[in-house]
Amino acid sequence: MTYSAQKKAQRSVHKNRLYQYWLLAKIWLCLIVIHIAVQGFGLQKVRRKLSLGISRQTTGQLPVEDAALVAAYMGLRVRTIKRRFPNMLNGNCLSQSLALWWLLARKGIATTLHIGAHRKEGEFKAHAWVELDGEPINARRLIRGKYQTFDHDFISPLHG
């Protein structure tokens, strides 16, 4: 590899690394804002406000394979923030799922927010996650078997 090719490759890696940090910062900021908004105003109000900016976008901007890759990548980034910064304000499963839904919707990827509940040892548990074509993005595949989802359509794909 020539010296100029090496330098070009290094710049590409550096740009990619900077993009990764920028993306993590953007997602983290989104998580903070959405978490605070949901706590203060409730899910439905926040959902309506988030839907305003994306309701005019069309679905299917990306091929199905690319949409699945982007969704998986963004889901991984949300989990990375949760894992790397557990003591910082990064939201709960509801705000994380709502943020992931919104970020993907802005890219034209239609996903669905699911909220489910179950009783374990007399204790009520609830969880929220996002699915793309029936596959969980930010949860394990077995999540539907563990939680009974509500019939209510909390967020239709790309529509308010």
Side-chain angles (χ1 to χ4, degrees), residues 60-81:
Q61 290 179 353
L62 295 172
V64 174
E65 300 82 20
D66 291 345
L69 284 173
V70 170
Y73 181 78
M74 294 296 277
L76 182 61
R77 294 297 134 232
V78 169
R79 286 192 305 275
T80 297
I81 290 170

Side-chain angles (χ1 to χ4, degrees), residues 93 114-120 124-129 139 142-150:
C93 61
H114 290 278
I115 300 175
H118 77 100
R119 282 195 170 281
K120 184 176 182 180
F124 178 79
K125 301 258 185 185
H127 189 57
W129 66 94
L142 301 174
I143 195 77
R144 281 188 164 255
K146 186 174 181 179
Y147 291 91
Q148 178 66 40
T149 58
F150 295 105

Side-chain angles (χ1 to χ4, degrees), residues 4-154:
S4 63
Q6 287 177 337
K7 283 294 186 187
K8 189 175 182 180
Q10 285 176 343
R11 280 193 303 270
S12 176
V13 168
H14 182 69
K15 283 182 183 177
N16 191 27
R17 188 173 299 143
L18 288 176
Y19 175 75
Q20 298 297 323
Y21 290 135
W22 176 84
L23 183 61
L24 284 173
K26 180 180 168 182
I27 292 170
W28 184 62
L29 181 62
C30 182
L31 286 170
I32 291 171
V33 170
I34 288 177
H35 181 70
I36 292 169
V38 168
Q39 296 296 314
F41 302 108
L43 173 62
Q44 293 304 324
K45 270 190 177 173
V46 174
R47 179 196 64 84
R48 279 193 299 272
K49 289 290 186 189
L50 291 174
S51 295
L52 291 176
I54 58 171
S55 62
R56 292 180 294 276
Q57 292 184 2
T58 59
T59 59
Q61 290 179 353
L62 295 172
V64 174
E65 300 82 20
D66 291 345
L69 284 173
V70 170
Y73 181 78
M74 294 296 277
L76 182 61
R77 294 297 134 232
V78 169
R79 286 192 305 275
T80 297
I81 290 170
K82 180 181 173 185
R83 189 178 65 249
R84 285 194 179 170
F85 308 108
N87 297 327
M88 299 179 87
L89 179 63
N90 58 24
N92 54 21
C93 61
L94 179 59
S95 55
Q96 291 167 2
S97 295
L98 191 56
L100 179 60
W101 169 83
W102 182 71
L103 290 165
L104 292 172
R106 287 180 45 115
K107 294 189 173 296
I109 300 172
T111 58
T112 306
L113 174 71
H114 290 278
I115 300 175
H118 77 100
R119 282 195 170 281
K120 184 176 182 180
E121 299 171 3
E123 189 177 342
F124 178 79
K125 301 258 185 185
H127 189 57
W129 66 94
V130 177
E131 290 185 3
L132 173 66
D133 297 328
E135 289 293 321
I137 299 170
N138 60 335
R140 292 190 170 103
R141 283 187 170 179
L142 301 174
I143 195 77
R144 281 188 164 255
K146 186 174 181 179
Y147 291 91
Q148 178 66 40
T149 58
F150 295 105
D151 290 334
H152 180 71
D153 186 13
F154 289 96

